Amino acid sequence: MNRVILVIMGLMAALVVAIGVVVVVLVAGGGEDEVRGPQDTTGQEENGTEDGGGGPAAGELRLLGPEPLSLDPHVITESASAVYVVEIFGGLLTLDPELQLQADLAQEIPSEANGGKVITADGTVTYTFHLRENALFHDRKPVTADDVKYSLERAADPATQSLVAEFFLGDIVGVKEKLAGEATEVRGVQAVDDLTVAITIERDLPSFLYKLTYPTAFVVDQRQVEGDPNWSRRPNGTGPYKLEQWRLGERIILKANDRYHLGAPKVETVRFLQAGSGITLYEAGDVDVTGVALDDLQRVQDPADPLNAEYRSGTSLAIDYIGFNTNSPPFDDPTVRKAFAMAIDKEQIASAIFQGAIPVANSILMPGMAAYNENARAPEFNPDEARRLLEESKYGGPEGLPTISLAESGTGASSGPGTAAIVEMWRDNLGVEVEIEQAETATFFQDVSQGRYQAFLIGWIMDYPAEDDILNIHLDSESPNNDTFYKNPQVDDLLRRALLEPDQQQRIQLYQQAEQIILDEVPWFPLFFGQYHALVKPYVKDYLIPPAIVPRLRFVTLEAQ
Amino acid sequence: MQGLFAYTLRRLLWVPLVLLVVSFFTFTITRFGPGDPVTILAGQYQDPEVIERVKQERGLDQPFYEQYGIYMKNLLTKGDFGTSITIQRDFKVWDIIWPRMLVSLQPGLVALVIAFPLGIAVGIFAALRQGTWMDPFSIGTFLLLQSVPVLVTLPLLVLIFVVKLGWLPATGWGGPRVDVGPQDIALGIFSRHIILPALVLSLPGVAGIARLVRATTLSVLGEDYVRTARAKGLPELTVVSRHVARNALLPLVTVVGLSLITLLEGAFFTETILGIPGIGRLGVEAAQSRDYDVILALVLILAAAFVVANIVIDIAYTFIDPRIRFGAQRSG
């Protein structure tokens, strides 16, 4: 019995002590707040204790950032990782914030004019890149031609398990063999001397150089990659920023690379928080920039709101569209597709549901693309014509249609606001009941590519600003990414000719021609273009919002307060 | 003591079998469920050939029993929980889970420390006030807290204490840092970050403890020795603390184990909503992104924790209550 008493008393004592500690923490925490005011939250607390100050006064830019999946440039496919990777690494070429092609590790962009591009008799093209002598890894080691060759071969090594190597590097002679495990090296990449790399591609492809700006083509440090299994947690890149700290699920801190060959960044430290509600942190002064979600948009767009002066927006090379599976009834009939398209009032959705925050798309190519065509015309809203077309189709009207569902990615109890509006318009304007089918993101893309849906709401984010990155890969009948199974020999021909057309004017014309045919036959019905909304504190200058994920942090300056 | 040893051994021998069954079922469910990690990685680049090639490279094209065999062999011979694909690509699963476990433990422990004394106090109080309005009122208040889902209380508390009053930090987690091997973690237990999750995890559990304590206290109050104690003229406080509480609290030891389960369920919500980098949030993310090895490791570790915790509690019980003798079960 004595033992029992001891155990219980011990237990009680421990609990009492522990609860006392909690009470003290609670009380002490509360007291602190009263003294320091609600503005001062833990962000600063931590800055103060461990990083020696923080915020704009200390030359630190504080942003919200997504959690990256990996910082290995050769394997990443998603923007969450790319945001960091484009700042930490670099390749031969890069894109500036206006999405113009720029030399990065290379001294200049190879062209026929400067002798860097040679077309051989067999149709292959060899680009010669001269590396900058002052291009260094973060550890001050110079970048050599061997590093470039190693990196491209690593990206194409099946063991690297890149899901996009073939897509971005597949044009290089020997990459497909390497990916298939049939070759140990990539023949098309040769180190001519220490600072010269020659890359040979199978055919003259005007958009090829753009593909080299994607992280798959970035340069990594061979010694580090081979010597350190955890290298991507402390990567030795060549970009404007170095990784200082990566705390999973919490924060990423980047430090300026003072030796950066295109000009050292002006902000010494960039801190990305990976948790918390953007606008709350922004208003509390814990971050200097935040994206604005739809819910808060109306508020910050109101000129009377104090935040309005700090509101910025920018377009992004992205599009939302309805994909009609052209193999699946009733959308195997172009007339039905057109009828469904003409029953949707996009302007109404944009203004009533999205408060005009997103631009309506009437073309597939977005503004900012060379072949963007203001006069391109997707089927316009016209309910009478829509009904007439439906009667005229091989299904003969609403009664003849099979059950239809529109798929979207998402697992919420309710569908996206735009989705419900579209379905309602189909009911009101066509007299057709369409079900909304929600799919988990994990399986949505796969189900789309396997043709499991009749119609689906989906988006596409451009990888590089060339037309083939959307038209050829989605609408050429042979492309594995043709998710609507659209097949039109005339369009195939136009797209393939455009892909290889060296003359820009000619190329633009071919693409615009193909685009108009596609718009008329409606495998895709464009809905909205991408638009990014942000709040930026007034002391943050030159915070650019480029239309794609490109290095941009080195341009930012912080004004002393 | 010989009986106790044999009993412990017998119970421990069951552990591997339980874990084997758990691992097999989890493995099967993940492999046959819809979606797979490589397809998710491919995102908007769905090229079936490329996806197939990467699956081959990762061994995901093998029959599932072979994959299971390889996984178990690595786990048993090397203690290798595998590699993450979609959470942190190519990171060792253990390196991902270990720091997060230490984060999740913090609100969990504080919640236990709040819930038990509070539940005990409320339970004894209610029992002593049996028949008055205070009995159902005190228990009822905490039953209400138990009945409202965390999904409702948590956003409400965030709205009040973070958004409106600004007393608590908006970010999920922080505090002094300690290095735990693969990375350092924040000791939120020493910062204001602990308050919301600890409250939300503890309050729903109070009612259960209080009701149990109330029931046992009532039965103890009717015992002869309590009547004797009162008859001796001992002050009520002494009767309650020395004779009632001591005996009424014994069954609570078993509840500690069950409370762990409740805490864990709560962690999935609190960590996801508050953005705390613990295993609850990790579990949700891993399931959503089909990170096979992470899911399996989490399930295995948690299953092992429960099984072992229950064994420890059963053994502790024999020390606390001499009436229970495991060896004697068969002979007498």
Side-chain angles (χ1 to χ4, degrees):
Chain A
M1 204 57 188
N2 262 342
R3 196 186 278 155
V4 182
I5 297 169
L6 277 177
V7 169
I8 292 179
M9 282 180 61
L11 200 68
M12 293 290 281
L15 289 175
V16 168
V17 169
I19 204 163
V21 170
V22 173
V23 168
V24 169
V25 170
L26 285 167
V27 171
E32 221 175 355
D33 282 321
E34 281 157 36
V35 179
R36 293 171 20 182
Q39 290 295 307
D40 197 351
T41 59
T42 320
Q44 266 104 11
E45 219 170 86
E46 283 160 14
N47 295 344
T49 49
E50 42 175 25
D51 299 314
E60 182 181 280
L61 177 68
R62 296 160 310 163
L63 307 173
L64 279 161
E67 172 90 49
L69 175 59
S70 170
L71 294 182
D72 177 348
H74 296 160
V75 304
I76 66 162
T77 53
E78 12 72 73
S79 56
S81 305
V83 171
Y84 307 100
V85 164
V86 297
E87 302 288 351
I88 297 171
F89 292 91
L92 292 167
L93 304 174
T94 186
L95 294 172
D96 70 13
E98 275 86 47
L99 303 192
Q100 296 303 306
L101 203 57
Q102 287 242 310
D104 183 347
L105 296 173
Q107 287 176 20
E108 57 183 355
I109 303 166
S111 65
E112 280 170 287
N114 64 26
K117 177 183 177 184
V118 177
I119 304 174
T120 49
D122 61 353
T124 62
V125 175
T126 301
Y127 288 102
T128 307
F129 295 90
H130 299 285
L131 301 180
R132 289 176 201 269
E133 281 172 38
N134 64 345
L136 307 173
F137 283 103
H138 292 158
D139 69 355
R140 305 283 162 92
K141 194 171 56 186
V143 178
T144 65
D146 285 330
D147 292 317
V148 179
K149 182 169 166 65
Y150 168 76
S151 299
L152 291 171
E153 286 181 343
R154 176 178 182 271
D157 191 324
T160 306
Q161 301 176 7
S162 172
L163 284 149
V164 287
E166 182 162 342
F167 186 71
F168 289 101
L169 305 175
D171 303 307
I172 299 173
V173 172
V175 160
K176 288 193 182 105
E177 284 92 327
K178 172 92 180 168
L179 275 168
E182 292 159 5
T184 50
E185 70 154 3
V186 173
R187 281 178 293 129
V189 182
Q190 293 301 333
V192 178
D193 61 45
D194 260 8
L195 290 176
T196 311
V197 189
I199 297 181
T200 307
I201 57 173
E202 285 164 356
R203 51 186 184 168
D204 188 12
L205 190 72
S207 65
F208 172 71
L209 292 181
Y210 282 116
K211 296 189 180 186
L212 291 183
T213 67
Y214 197 81
T216 317
F218 283 180
V219 174
V220 297
D221 173 12
Q222 175 171 11
R223 203 167 47 188
Q224 195 197 21
V225 173
E226 290 180 345
D228 179 358
N230 295 325
W231 69 275
S232 65
R233 262 175 275 185
R234 32 185 175 269
N236 186 24
T238 61
Y241 278 91
K242 314 179 230 195
L243 179 70
E244 168 90 355
Q245 192 181 68
W246 177 9
R247 283 176 179 162
L248 292 183
E250 287 185 48
R251 76 192 52 179
I252 281 185
I253 296 174
L254 303 181
K255 282 268 185 228
N257 170 10
D258 300 327
R259 297 280 197 96
Y260 186 57
H261 49 271
L262 296 180
K266 300 174 187 100
V267 174
E268 182 58 28
T269 311
V270 183
R271 168 192 296 258
F272 291 89
L273 287 178
Q274 284 156 0
S277 146
I279 202 152
T280 314
L281 287 169
Y282 183 84
E283 287 189 274
D286 287 341
V287 293
D288 303 314
V289 179
T290 181
V292 182
L294 205 57
D295 293 338
D296 297 309
L297 204 56
Q298 199 162 19
R299 185 181 137 209
V300 303
Q301 282 182 334
D302 176 1
D305 193 279
L307 288 178
N308 183 256
E310 296 162 18
Y311 166 68
R312 313 267 189 81
S313 75
T315 56
S316 56
L317 293 187
I319 184 171
D320 288 326
Y321 63 95
I322 298 177
F324 291 112
N325 183 342
T326 60
N327 279 347
S328 169
F331 300 118
D332 52 345
D333 181 350
T335 322
V336 174
R337 299 199 292 266
K338 199 162 185 175
F340 274 70
M342 294 183 96
I344 298 173
D345 187 352
K346 288 182 280 194
E347 301 284 349
Q348 167 76 12
I349 298 175
S351 63
I353 295 169
F354 300 112
Q355 285 114 35
I358 49 174
V360 166
N362 284 313
S363 58
I364 294 171
L365 297 172
M366 45 296 265
M369 303 291 297
Y372 169 66
N373 181 5
E374 270 186 342
N375 302 316
R377 275 290 158 256
E380 277 175 37
F381 177 58
N382 185 341
D384 297 330
E385 178 69 6
R387 266 192 306 275
R388 197 187 62 75
L389 282 172
L390 194 56
E391 306 283 333
E392 210 176 73
S393 76
K394 71 176 185 193
Y395 295 92
E399 303 76 30
L401 295 174
T403 325
I404 302 175
S405 59
L406 172 67
E408 66 167 354
S409 123
T411 45
S414 61
S415 55
T419 319
I422 289 168
V423 168
E424 206 176 297
M425 286 172 179
W426 282 340
R427 179 171 52 224
D428 295 347
N429 299 332
L430 286 180
V432 179
E433 267 319 316
V434 173
E435 281 167 31
I436 297 173
E437 182 177 351
Q438 285 198 319
E440 214 183 345
T441 319
T443 51
F444 181 68
F445 286 111
Q446 188 182 26
D447 288 344
V448 166
S449 82
Q450 296 180 351
R452 294 212 184 108
Y453 302 122
Q454 292 164 296
F456 46 89
L457 273 169
I458 201 169
W460 177 253
I461 305 166
M462 300 290 290
D463 304 298
Y464 52 89
E467 290 73 17
D468 57 305
D469 187 40
I470 184 163
L471 292 178
N472 292 68
I473 69 168
H474 277 295
L475 293 147
D476 184 306
S477 61
E478 304 271 307
S479 166
N481 275 293
N482 184 334
D483 47 18
T484 57
F485 308 97
Y486 176 64
K487 190 175 167 72
N488 178 332
Q490 193 195 350
V491 169
D492 282 351
D493 177 58
L494 285 167
L495 290 179
R496 287 167 200 175
R497 270 163 56 204
L499 182 70
L500 300 176
E501 175 58 57
D503 179 72
Q504 166 138 354
Q505 277 317 310
Q506 289 282 331
R507 189 164 66 236
I508 288 174
Q509 263 187 17
L510 290 169
Y511 273 129
Q512 290 185 344
Q513 228 177 313
E515 185 189 32
Q516 192 54 57
I517 298 174
I518 295 163
L519 289 171
D520 290 338
E521 299 196 333
V522 221
W524 280 38
F525 183 56
L527 294 172
F528 307 105
F529 290 132
Q531 180 88 2
Y532 186 76
H533 306 274
L535 290 169
V536 182
K537 295 277 186 195
Y539 49 79
V540 180
K541 302 292 179 199
D542 299 315
Y543 185 86
L544 306 167
I545 305 178
I549 297 170
V550 298
R552 66 199 167 109
L553 293 176
R554 68 186 176 95
F555 302 104
V556 180
T557 53
L558 289 173
E559 215 165 60
Q561 281 183 303
Chain B
M1 275 302 129
Q2 180 122 44
L4 179 64
F5 179 74
Y7 171 79
T8 312
L9 197 70
R10 221 166 43 235
R11 288 288 303 268
L12 283 176
L13 283 176
W14 274 98
V15 176
L17 191 70
V18 169
L19 294 183
L20 202 68
V21 172
V22 166
S23 67
F24 184 78
F25 275 106
T26 313
F27 199 91
T28 313
I29 290 168
T30 52
R31 291 309 193 277
F32 287 101
D36 68 81
V38 175
T39 309
I40 288 166
L41 273 189
Q44 64 177 10
Y45 313 91
Q46 294 282 334
D47 185 334
E49 273 175 48
V50 172
I51 289 172
E52 207 40 54
R53 192 162 59 212
V54 173
K55 275 190 192 165
Q56 255 171 38
E57 201 65 39
R58 284 202 100 95
L60 290 174
D61 59 330
Q62 304 289 320
F64 97 99
Y65 50 86
E66 265 176 44
Q67 294 182 44
Y68 180 70
I70 293 168
Y71 183 91
M72 288 314 280
K73 192 174 142 230
N74 284 337
L75 179 60
L76 295 176
T77 57
K78 295 183 227 153
D80 183 358
F81 279 100
T83 317
S84 165
I85 311 182
T86 48
I87 293 285
Q88 296 293 325
R89 181 155 164 169
D90 295 333
F91 279 32
K92 282 285 161 205
V93 167
W94 181 247
D95 287 353
I96 295 175
I97 290 183
W98 167 242
R100 293 181 192 230
M101 225 152 60
L102 295 177
V103 168
S104 289
L105 269 179
Q106 300 174 38
L109 281 179
V110 176
L112 278 183
V113 162
I114 296 174
F116 273 86
L118 197 59
I120 292 167
V122 172
I124 294 181
F125 175 81
L128 294 176
R129 296 284 180 278
Q130 195 198 13
T132 72
W133 63 272
M134 280 186 274
D135 173 15
F137 178 77
S138 53
I139 297 280
T141 308
F142 285 95
L143 264 181
L144 187 76
L145 286 172
Q146 185 186 31
S147 314
V148 184
V150 173
L151 279 175
V152 176
T153 39
L154 194 51
L156 211 66
L157 290 174
V158 169
L159 182 72
I160 297 171
F161 291 105
V162 179
V163 181
K164 295 288 176 217
L165 297 173
W167 289 357
L168 298 176
T171 40
W173 198 240
R177 327 270 325 178
V178 287
D179 197 356
V180 294
Q183 68 164 126
D184 55 350
I185 60 158
L187 293 177
I189 201 162
F190 296 120
S191 81
R192 282 173 291 158
H193 291 279
I194 194 75
I195 297 174
L196 272 187
L199 270 185
V200 166
L201 288 176
S202 62
L203 292 182
V206 172
I209 298 165
R211 288 167 79 194
L212 184 73
V213 171
R214 177 181 174 275
T216 54
T217 306
L218 281 177
S219 73
V220 172
L221 279 174
E223 294 283 344
D224 291 343
Y225 56 83
V226 175
R227 210 172 41 208
T228 313
R230 282 190 174 141
K232 280 196 299 187
L234 286 177
E236 184 65 15
L237 190 66
T238 316
V239 174
V240 171
S241 63
R242 292 191 55 183
H243 298 277
V244 179
R246 216 181 270 168
N247 293 298
L249 296 186
L250 269 182
L252 265 189
V253 180
T254 50
V255 185
V256 178
L258 294 174
S259 301
L260 280 172
I261 301 174
T262 326
L263 281 180
L264 204 88
E265 284 171 5
F268 284 99
F269 295 114
T270 48
E271 290 181 3
T272 305
I273 295 175
L274 293 172
I276 298 171
I279 48 171
R281 185 172 131 197
L282 178 67
V284 174
E285 286 169 2
Q288 279 172 349
S289 63
R290 309 289 193 273
D291 204 333
Y292 291 158
D293 289 1
V294 176
I295 299 172
L296 189 52
L298 272 178
V299 173
L300 275 181
I301 289 169
L302 296 179
F306 286 139
V307 175
V308 171
N310 276 317
I311 294 176
V312 170
I313 287 162
D314 286 350
I315 295 167
Y317 221 71
T318 65
F319 285 99
I320 298 167
D321 190 340
R323 284 172 301 187
I324 300 169
R325 279 283 176 267
F326 296 102
Q329 275 171 355
R330 267 181 302 171
S331 55

